[in-house]
């Protein structure tokens, strides 16, 4: 056996006893050696005909790195017993083989270690930069080799472009090759040094568990080393980092930033990265095409080039802007003259011609920011009539709009960077706006010549637009853009025309001429137009502002204004977080490792202070959607009139009560209005006790009913937590009817009855203690317990037993009521059970604090014992109008039916994921009340997986929750307005994130209470 043969060689030559396992290798034999000493090695047996010099070079390089930069993650080489690093050992057939033994580094290869976060890529850049620094002083004869992977010599592909049969692709490659040849002289002039030359995604190792910070734990395989400019090493690594990356430009910028931090690059080198990267990909696809021709039966050759083609053909990557982006990543000026232009503008601030013929320093600012403004009401649609009125609250005189201001007025899909409504979108204004009446003349702040003059007639585009080219006295170019002009300017000016300082060269258009907006000029400055040409983005992605601040800086100087006046600063999330810590209790918890700050909403979407959209798949309170216009209207209308309490008659209270009761079985006749679910449950306890004269309560484990003393006492989810108040004497818990993890499973047809029977001993215990049974309370479908749907008939059976013991049955429908379940308006309908008291909360006010309890005439009568029941705000005129409106909207907009349809769509998709991913243990729920139970490979609760998935979904801009005693159940519970494309986004993102989880398993936890030999942990 081969492995035994080489295991013996390892023992003889290195004195190491190990078990060998073959590893992949194209030509050579590679083994993983697990040694008796507990260490792992890699044994490399080179092919007989290998070039010894190249192997010696690798060994020498590793030795060099270990000496000059021992902190770098390269494997150490272990000398054989006789001191040789690369002994020659005869193989089984007696042929001499060069053999070497390496340290085995921890981690898994980068290709399989998803996601490729910018943070990880930045670290990779640092490691690579440091590696090239370490290799600077390394010399070896083998480095000076001619071969196809030396990027300096990549011009060889020119001769083989004919092999690319697709003419479009051939032209693209020939363009890349031409661009490469255009920079070749600059490349060839750079100093050369030893470089790794093949930092591909299988040669990078990454370490770090699911919720841990990941780091680069290894760079391996120096087999392609050569002498070349260091920037080739970076471009090659970049060529792999961008492939199939969801944000390739940002990924590359992160790599370059990391590299530059460890190994300073010049601007000239930075400018070479992009053409070199593309050339490297061109070399790859040409090489694979040639190999495919030689090996027509090997489909892998073609498959392996697919990502490179995908990237090269990705039209959304803006190559023209790449040099600026990479320079900014390194903190370098975007152009050679950028700093001089900025200095010139600064020095002349106050001396430019007045654009509006008047001093703007006292002109007021008007904010259209996400936080300060509600233009447009629907952040996904800007109707023309709203666009024409934008900012009308600031009057019809002169006012200024901010630079760097995130706005939601850019609502068209063209501003989105992905296919979904909640995809990243460009929101941040890169110009200053000056609002003034249509027809106002615009004066050139300084002389220039016309670069572009056009009429952009698209919906909400610029209308008339002019770009002027300027030069500083030192000859450095910069540009200014004026949008939303009267298009008559196109008749008067043409590209190349001079425009004198202070010349009135254009005038503001009205809404019919300027793209549809309230009259204003969008005034933008740019230091380069490369990658933008005539089509400058007027707004930027909030996560790319470093780039945009550098390319399109604040133009305040040209308006003779201080920068600060027009520079918008959104509320600082970190300051809010610090303030919260200072003024609120520590147990006021925040969701997510990196919390979100949300300032606007619309239906089932939310927006943070930068206008980043989030799909709200978690919050059930906005039952009919965030910021519903009918709720706004009803609340505003009532607040204009009066708002008082139930001590006075008002028809709104009756209307609300009648609406609520219309949704319930006839026996429910009486409503109590309070302010919250908690208060309603607290009241339910009092009613049950008043009606029965008993105090004992039975309730399922892990339930939650509210935050007051009484409600906590019946909420095992709280009182049983470490530090909780513990179980009261008058409360008895029963196991949740969870037929996935509980004691009776889905294959047991009798499980509903068996779970219900668990109530019998609880009743008996209460009676034994003398408390009697006041009642039973349960979330109809346990939510905090893990989105559980009890087997049909469970509640009906429990209710029979409780009633037989003299108690009343309380259905907490706070989570499940009001149409969320699709097939049912309330959860108890599914169970074929009729409670005595129904509690509603959260969604019934759609954000307004409101709780409702309904019960029978008899129970209400028992409670009417002469003491007034009063809740100051419960049943206020305002609350009743809002509550009624919410229920009306559910009906009018068919939201229960929508919950049924969208729930089914989600459920189907989730079931498919369950079949695809081992970590999805169970998918359950009804309508838009859904749970996904995540499990470890051994079937135990996947708490860490759940935390990871929840946080990663947030990275994908989707809010979902987690629940269950071990917090391993994803809770999906969106507003009832969710639409098919949102459901599809959830499923797409979940699949992406679950792929990242892959076959992750938690490290085994030692539960030994005594020393256990062989277990590394005790
Ligand atoms: C099932 C259930 N009941 C009662 C409550 C308490 O409602 P509130 O927070 O409005 O007091 C909650 C809150 O999460 C709940 O989920």
């Amino acid at each position: 056996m081969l492995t035994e043969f080489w295991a013996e060689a390892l023992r003889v030559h290195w004195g190491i006893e190990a078990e060998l396992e073959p590893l992949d290798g194209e030509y050579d034999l590679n083994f993983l050696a697990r040694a008796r000493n507990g260490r792992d090695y890699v044994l490399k047996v080179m092919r007989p005909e290998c070039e010894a010099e190249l192997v010696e070079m690798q060994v020498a390089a590793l030795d060099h790195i270990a000496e000059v930069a021992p902190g770098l993650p390269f494997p150490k080489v272990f000398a054989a017993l006789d001191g040789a690093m690369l002994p020659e050992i005869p193989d089984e057939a007696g042929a001499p083989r060069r053999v070497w033994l390496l340290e085995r580094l921890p981690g898994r290869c980068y290709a399989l270690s998803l996601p490729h976060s910018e943070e990880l890529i930045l670290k990779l850049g640092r490691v690579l930069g440091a590696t090239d620094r370490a290799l600077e002083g390394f010399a070896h004869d083998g480095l000076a080799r001619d071969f196809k992977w030396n990027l300096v010599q990549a011009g060889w592909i020119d001769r083989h472009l004919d092999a690319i049969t697709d003419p479009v692709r051939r032209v693209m490659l020939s363009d890349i090759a031409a661009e490469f040849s255009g920079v070749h002289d600059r490349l060839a002039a750079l100093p050369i040094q030893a470089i790794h030359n093949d930092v591909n995604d299988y040669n990078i190792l990454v370490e770090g568990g699911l919720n841990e910070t990941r780091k680069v734990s290894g760079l391996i395989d120096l087999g392609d080393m050569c002498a070349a400019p260091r920037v080739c090493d970076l471009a090659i690594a970049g060529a792999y980092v961008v492939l199939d990356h969801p944000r390739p430009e940002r990924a590359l910028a992160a790599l370059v930033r990391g590299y530059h931090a460890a190994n300073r690059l010049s601007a000239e080198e930075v400018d070479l990265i992009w053409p070199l990267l593309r050339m490297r990909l061109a070399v790859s696809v040409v090489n694979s095409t040639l190999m495919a021709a030689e090996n027509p039966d090997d489909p892998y050759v073609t498959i392996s080039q697919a990502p490179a083609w995908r990237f090269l053909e990705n039209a959304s990557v803006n190559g023209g802007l790449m040099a600026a982006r990479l320079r900014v990543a390194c903190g370098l000026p975007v152009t050679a003259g950028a700093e001089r232009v900025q200095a010139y503008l600064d020095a002349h601030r106050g001396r430019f011609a007045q654009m509006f013929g008047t001093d703007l320093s006292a002109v007021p600012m008007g904010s259209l920011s996400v936080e300060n403004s509600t233009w447009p009401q629907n952040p996904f649609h800007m109707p023309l009539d709203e666009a024409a009125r934008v900012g009308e609250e600031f009057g019809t005189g002169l006012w200024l709009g901010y630079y760097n201001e995130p706005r939601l007025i850019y609502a068209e899909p063209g501003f989105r960077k992905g296919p979904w409504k909640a995809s990243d979108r460009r929101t941040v204004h890169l110009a200053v706006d000056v609002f003034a009446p249509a027809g106002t003349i615009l004066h050139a702040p300084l002389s220039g010549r016309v670069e572009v003059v056009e009429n952009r007639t698209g919906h909400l585009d610029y209308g008339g637009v002019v770009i002027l080219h300027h030069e500083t006295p030192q000859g450095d170019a910069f540009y200014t853009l004026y949008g939303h002009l009267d298009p008559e300017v196109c008749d008067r000016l043409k590209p190349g025309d001079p425009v004198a300082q202070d010349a009135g060269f254009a005038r503001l258009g009205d809404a019919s001429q300027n793209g549809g907006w309230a009259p204003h000029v969008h005034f933008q400055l740019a230091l380069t137009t490369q990658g933008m040409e005539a089509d400058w983005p007027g707004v930027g992605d909030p996560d790319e502002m470093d780039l945009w601040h550098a390319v399109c800086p604040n133009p305040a100087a040209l308006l003779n204004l201080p920068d600060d006046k027009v520079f918008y600063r959104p509320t600082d999330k970190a300051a809010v977080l610090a303030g919260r810590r200072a003024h609120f209790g520590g147990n006021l918890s925040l969701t997510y490792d990196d919390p979100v700050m949300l300032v606007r909403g619309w239906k089932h979407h939310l927006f943070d202070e930068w206008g980043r959209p989030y799909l709200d798949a978690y919050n059930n309170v906005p039952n009919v959607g965030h910021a519903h216009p009918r709720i706004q209207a009803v609340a505003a209308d009532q607040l204009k009139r009066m708002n008082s309490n139930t001590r006075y008659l008002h028809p709104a209270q009756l209307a609300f009560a009648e609406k609520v009761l219309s949704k319930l079985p006839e026996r429910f006749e009486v409503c109590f209005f309070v302010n919250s679910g908690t208060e309603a449950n607290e009241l339910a306890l009092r009613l049950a006790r008043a009606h029965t004269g008993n105090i004992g309560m039975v309730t399922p484990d892990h339930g939650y009913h509210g935050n007051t003393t009484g409600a906590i006492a019946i909420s095992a989810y709280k009182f049983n937590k470490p530090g909780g108040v513990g179980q009261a004497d008058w409360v008895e818990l029963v196991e949740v009817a969870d037929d996935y993890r509980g004691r009776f499973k889905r294959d047991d047809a009798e499980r509903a009855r068996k779970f219900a029977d668990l109530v019998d001993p609880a009743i008996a215990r209460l009676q034994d203690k003398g408390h009697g049974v006041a009642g039973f309370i349960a979330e109809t479908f346990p939510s905090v317990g893990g989105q559980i749907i009890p087997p049909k008939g469970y509640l009906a059976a429990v209710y029979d037993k409780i009633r037989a013991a003299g108690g009343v049955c309380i259905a907490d429908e706070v989570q499940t009521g009001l149409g969320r379940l699709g097939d049912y308006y309330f959860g108890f309908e599914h169970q074929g059970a009729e409670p005595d008291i129904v509690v509603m909360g959260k969604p019934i006010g759609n954000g307004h604090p409101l709780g409702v309890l309904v019960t029978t005439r008899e129970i209400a009568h028992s409670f009417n014992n002469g003491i007034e029941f009063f809740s100051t705000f419960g049943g206020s005129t305002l609350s009743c109008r809002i509550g009624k409106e919410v229920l009306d909207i559910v009906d009018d907009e068919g939201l229960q039916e929508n919950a049924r349809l969208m729930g089914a769509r989600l459920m189907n998709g989730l079931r498919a994921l369950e079949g695809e991913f081992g970590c999805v243990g169970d998918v359950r729920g009804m309508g838009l009340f859904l749970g996904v139970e995540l499990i470890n490979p051994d079937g135990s609760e996947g708490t860490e997986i759940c935390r990871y998935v929840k946080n990663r979904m947030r990275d994908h801009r989707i809010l979902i929750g987690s629940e269950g005693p071990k917090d391993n159940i994803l809770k999906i519970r969106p507003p009832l307005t969710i639409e098919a494309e949102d459901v599809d986004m959830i499923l797409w993102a979940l699949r992406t994130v679950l792929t990242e989880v892959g076959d992750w398993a938690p490290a085994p936890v030692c539960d030994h209470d005594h020393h256990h030999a062989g277990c590394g942990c005790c």
Side-chain angles (χ1 to χ4, degrees):
M1 282 290 291
L2 206 56
T3 47
E4 278 154 23
F5 179 87
W6 289 108
E8 178 60 11
L10 181 60
R11 195 185 63 74
V12 170
H13 292 274
W14 276 270
I16 292 172
E17 303 230 15
E19 293 212 353
L20 299 196
E21 217 177 274
L23 296 172
D24 286 348
E26 221 174 328
Y27 309 108
D28 309 314
L29 296 175
N30 291 324
F31 298 98
L32 167 63
R34 295 188 189 279
R36 290 256 172 85
N37 63 15
R39 296 174 69 171
D40 289 348
Y41 303 87
V42 175
L43 184 71
K44 293 173 81 70
V45 180
M46 308 314 285
R47 60 190 178 280
E49 69 279 14
C50 86
E51 263 186 78
E53 187 186 38
L54 293 183
V55 188
E56 278 162 20
M57 175 172 76
Q58 293 179 60
V59 172
L62 288 172
D63 221 35
H64 172 85
I65 292 170
E67 198 182 313
V68 302
L72 281 176
F74 281 85
K76 307 211 173 356
V77 186
F78 296 99
L81 293 173
D82 64 1
M85 299 300 249
L86 193 57
E88 202 170 65
I89 302 173
D91 66 15
E92 280 176 309
R97 300 279 203 124
R98 291 300 198 111
V99 184
W100 43 318
L101 185 70
L102 290 162
E103 176 189 14
R104 194 228 186 175
L105 295 175
R108 53 197 280 169
C109 74
Y110 177 87
L112 304 177
S113 182
L114 294 165
H116 296 151
S117 70
E118 287 173 44
E119 192 190 353
L120 175 64
I121 295 170
L122 182 101
K123 289 178 187 168
L124 172 64
R126 277 208 206 109
V127 169
L128 183 60
T131 299
D132 284 345
R133 276 184 67 157
L135 286 174
E136 231 177 78
F138 177 68
H140 195 278
D141 289 347
L143 288 171
R145 53 174 166 155
D146 286 338
F147 78 141
K148 63 184 176 186
W149 297 113
N150 183 342
L151 205 39
V152 183
Q153 299 163 355
W156 66 264
I157 65 165
D158 285 346
R159 300 188 301 278
H160 296 280
L161 291 182
D162 286 349
I164 309 291
T165 47
D166 178 330
V168 178
R169 286 184 164 180
R170 194 167 55 240
V171 169
M172 180 175 72
L173 292 194
S174 103
D175 287 350
I176 293 173
E179 191 184 1
F180 172 78
S181 101
V183 299
H184 189 264
D185 287 352
R186 273 150 60 197
L187 177 67
L190 292 173
I192 61 170
Q193 64 157 83
I195 62 169
H196 183 294
N197 203 38
D198 192 20
V199 178
N200 72 50
D201 42 6
Y202 286 88
N203 284 344
I204 305 160
L205 298 178
V206 175
E207 194 180 28
L210 211 50
N211 290 302
E212 289 167 3
T213 316
R214 308 220 174 146
K215 62 171 197 178
V216 175
S217 56
L219 281 191
I220 56 174
D221 194 355
L222 290 165
D224 276 357
M225 279 181 82
C226 70
R230 60 185 176 169
V231 68
C232 294
D233 227 8
L234 178 53
I236 291 166
Y240 290 98
V241 156
V242 294
L243 293 188
D244 287 335
H245 196 283
R247 294 164 171 162
E249 293 135 302
R250 300 240 289 262
L252 181 60
L255 182 80
V256 173
R257 181 181 306 130
Y259 189 101
H260 184 73
N263 198 354
R264 296 222 152 270
L265 296 160
S266 66
E268 292 68 34
E269 284 174 297
V270 172
D271 291 351
L272 286 171
I273 295 169
W274 181 239
L276 287 179
L277 179 156
R278 300 215 319 144
M279 191 60 176
R280 167 65 183 219
L281 291 176
V283 170
S284 288
V285 293
V286 170
N287 185 60
S288 313
T289 307
L290 298 175
M291 278 172 61
E294 277 172 35
N295 307 285
D297 299 332
D298 184 354
Y300 181 74
V301 183
T302 319
I303 293 169
S304 67
Q305 32 169 303
W309 282 121
R310 265 199 297 278
F311 180 76
L312 290 173
E313 291 170 340
N314 180 353
S316 73
V317 173
N318 185 341
L321 203 58
M322 199 62 82
R325 187 184 285 273
L326 299 183
R327 280 174 171 235
V328 170
C330 297
L332 296 166
V334 278
T335 60
E339 283 167 337
R340 288 190 296 268
V341 172
Q342 287 280 31
Y344 165 82
L345 294 176
D346 256 348
H348 288 76
R349 195 189 306 259
R351 286 192 270 150
F352 293 108
Q354 305 287 17
M355 196 187 290
F356 283 78
T358 175
D359 178 6
L360 296 176
S361 42
V363 169
M365 301 300 305
S367 176
L368 298 172
S369 77
V370 190
E371 292 174 90
N372 295 330
S373 147
T374 48
W375 295 102
Q377 170 68 110
N378 172 356
F380 297 103
H381 177 55
M382 170 59 104
L384 279 177
D385 67 317
E386 275 194 68
R389 291 187 293 114
V390 150
E392 65 187 3
E393 64 273 35
F394 304 114
T396 50
L398 271 181
W399 61 277
L400 304 176
Y402 285 98
Y403 172 81
N404 196 50
E405 182 175 72
R407 301 169 169 179
L408 295 180
I409 60 177
Y410 312 107
E412 300 309 306
F415 290 97
R416 279 188 221 155
K417 302 187 96 182
W420 317 106
K421 277 184 161 179
S423 295
D424 284 352
R425 68 193 239 182
R426 296 185 288 122
T427 57
V428 185
H429 197 224
L430 303 177
V432 169
D433 290 322
V434 186
F435 284 78
T440 306
I441 302 286
L442 216 57
H443 301 262
L446 76 171
S447 64
R449 96 181 127 65
V450 177
E451 182 95 0
V452 172
V453 52
E454 275 177 13
N455 185 14
R456 304 247 178 94
T457 53
H459 175 67
L460 296 177
D461 206 326
Y462 279 138
V465 60
V466 170
I467 297 177
L468 298 181
H469 172 124
H470 310 277
E471 265 175 31
T472 64
Q474 290 124 310
D476 295 308
F478 63 99
Y479 308 82
T480 51
L481 178 147
Y482 310 78
H484 308 301
L485 307 178
D486 182 338
E488 61 78 35
V489 67
C490 303
D491 304 330
R492 287 187 296 100
L493 294 179
K494 59 180 187 320
D497 283 355
V499 174
Q501 180 167 29
D502 207 21
F505 71 98
R507 55 178 188 240
L508 297 193
D510 64 24
S512 71
Q513 302 162 323
N514 73 1
W517 298 93
H520 71 287
V521 65
H522 169 103
F523 174 57
Q524 189 168 346
L525 164 68
L527 302 188
T528 171
T529 56
Q530 219 193 334
M532 312 197 296
E533 284 72 41
D535 200 11
W536 302 14
V539 275
D541 181 333
D543 294 319
E544 299 193 336
M545 289 318 290
D546 283 357
L547 169 66
W548 293 115
H549 286 162
V551 175
C552 295
N554 187 343
L558 287 159
L559 296 166
N560 299 318
L561 295 171
D563 285 347
D564 261 3
K565 175 175 167 99
V566 300
F567 189 89
Y568 184 81
R569 286 187 174 78
T571 299
D572 178 9
K573 187 170 106 176
V576 173
L577 185 59
R580 176 166 161 133
R581 293 204 170 116
H583 302 305
F584 297 97
N587 51 357
L588 193 70
S589 76
L590 268 171
T591 308
Y592 303 119
D593 293 348
D594 174 16
V596 277
M597 185 160 87
L598 301 167
V599 298
R600 274 287 301 276
W602 180 254
K603 291 177 93 175
H604 42 280
H605 285 92
L606 288 160
F607 295 84
D608 71 11
E609 73 282 15
W610 282 101
R612 299 182 192 102
Y614 292 82
L615 169 56
D616 185 356
Y618 178 64
N619 288 295
N620 60 343
V621 172
N623 199 43
V624 299
H626 295 277
H628 197 293
R630 279 176 61 180
I631 305 289
Q632 295 174 37
V634 105
D637 179 70
Q638 192 54 45
L639 287 170
K640 268 185 231 156
R641 297 164 192 272
M642 56 80 76
N643 184 25
S644 189
N645 59 51
T646 46
R647 287 202 175 115
Y648 309 105
L649 282 176
H650 195 287
Q653 290 143 2
L654 187 59
F656 184 31
E658 282 173 351
K659 182 76 194 185
V660 172
L661 293 174
S662 75
K663 297 292 180 187
L664 286 154
E666 275 185 5
R667 58 196 297 254
F668 292 101
E669 290 181 77
V670 183
C671 294
F672 291 84
F673 297 141
V674 287
N675 307 300
S676 66
T678 300
E679 218 188 321
N681 280 322
E682 189 79 36
L683 181 60
L685 266 184
R686 290 179 64 200
L687 287 172
R689 286 171 173 177
H691 187 63
T692 62
N694 299 327
I695 64 164
M697 292 295 297
V698 181
T699 188
D701 205 353
H702 306 301
Y704 180 65
H705 300 287
N707 61 39
T708 52
T709 307
I712 291 283
I714 48 172
S715 300
Y717 167 72
K718 292 284 177 192
F719 70 65
N720 260 343
K721 281 252 163 81
V725 293
Q727 189 169 339
D729 183 47
W730 50 271
V731 172
E732 284 296 332
L733 294 182
V734 288
E735 183 179 324
V736 185
D738 173 0
D739 58 9
Y740 173 72
R741 209 168 265 290
R743 73 173 89 171
F744 310 115
K745 302 280 195 277
R746 286 177 199 157
D747 57 1
D748 181 348
E750 292 293 300
R751 62 197 188 284
R753 181 187 56 74
K754 289 180 180 171
F755 274 119
D757 284 349
L758 301 178
V759 168
D760 294 334
I763 291 174
R765 280 194 297 275
L766 287 176
Q767 283 166 340
D768 288 351
K769 285 189 269 188
H771 296 313
V773 179
F776 172 85
I777 183 167
E779 299 168 62
T780 318
F781 295 168
S783 181
V784 292
Q787 301 291 91
I788 288 156
I789 312 291
K792 256 194 164 142
Y794 165 75
L795 268 189
V798 170
Y799 285 4
D800 284 349
K801 291 171 190 292
I802 295 291
R803 287 190 179 118
V808 300
C809 301
I810 306 167
D812 182 336
E813 291 276 354
V814 167
Q815 298 262 356
T816 39
L818 313 191
R820 169 163 302 279
L821 302 175
D823 284 336
Y824 307 99
Y825 201 81
F826 290 105
F828 62 77
E829 296 165 21
H830 165 263
Q831 290 286 309
E834 267 201 16
D836 305 303
I837 295 175
V838 178
V839 165
M840 288 159 257
K842 288 180 186 270
I844 203 161
N846 215 61
H848 182 79
L850 187 53
V852 175
L853 179 154
V854 290
T855 189
T856 61
R857 170 73 46 211
E858 295 71 39
I859 294 175
H861 183 70
S862 307
F863 185 57
N864 182 12
N865 59 1
I867 302 170
E868 181 197 18
F869 169 74
F870 181 62
S871 164
T872 302
F873 304 115
S876 77
T877 342
L878 176 64
S879 300
C880 288
R881 287 210 49 204
I882 290 178
K884 161 95 170 29
E885 197 70 9
V886 171
L887 300 189
D888 284 344
I889 294 170
V890 172
D891 290 347
D892 297 347
E893 295 185 2
L895 294 181
Q896 182 176 347
E897 175 63 2
N898 192 55
R900 192 178 70 76
L901 293 173
M902 293 305 113
R905 190 181 181 101
L906 249 174
M907 184 60 106
N908 279 342
L910 293 173
R911 290 250 153 86
L913 295 178
E914 184 182 8
E916 215 174 306
F917 295 97
C919 65
V920 179
D922 188 36
V923 171
R924 54 187 175 242
M926 199 177 288
L928 292 173
F929 178 89
L930 294 162
V932 180
E933 176 141 5
L934 297 171
I935 57 172
N936 297 320
D938 64 0
S940 61
E941 292 90 342
T943 307
E944 281 301 296
I945 297 177
C946 189
R947 180 178 150 208
Y948 179 80
V949 173
K950 185 168 94 169
N951 278 299
R952 286 290 292 145
M953 290 297 277
R954 170 232 189 281
D955 293 344
H956 284 290
R957 313 248 190 269
I958 298 175
L959 308 180
I960 50 175
S962 58
E963 288 289 12
K966 296 270 176 73
D967 211 22
N968 67 312
I969 294 135
L970 295 175
K971 178 165 172 170
I972 306 181
R973 194 190 51 173
L976 304 189
T977 51
I978 195 162
E979 291 160 21
E981 70 158 291
D982 311 300
V983 167
D984 296 349
M985 181 190 189
I986 296 172
L987 295 169
W988 163 82
L990 210 44
R991 169 172 282 107
T992 308
V993 174
L994 290 171
T995 306
E996 293 166 11
V997 173
D999 53 5
W1000 183 84
V1005 181
C1006 173
D1007 56 1
H1008 305 134
D1009 47 15
H1010 59 277
H1011 179 74
H1012 175 87
C1015 151
C1017 50
C1018 57

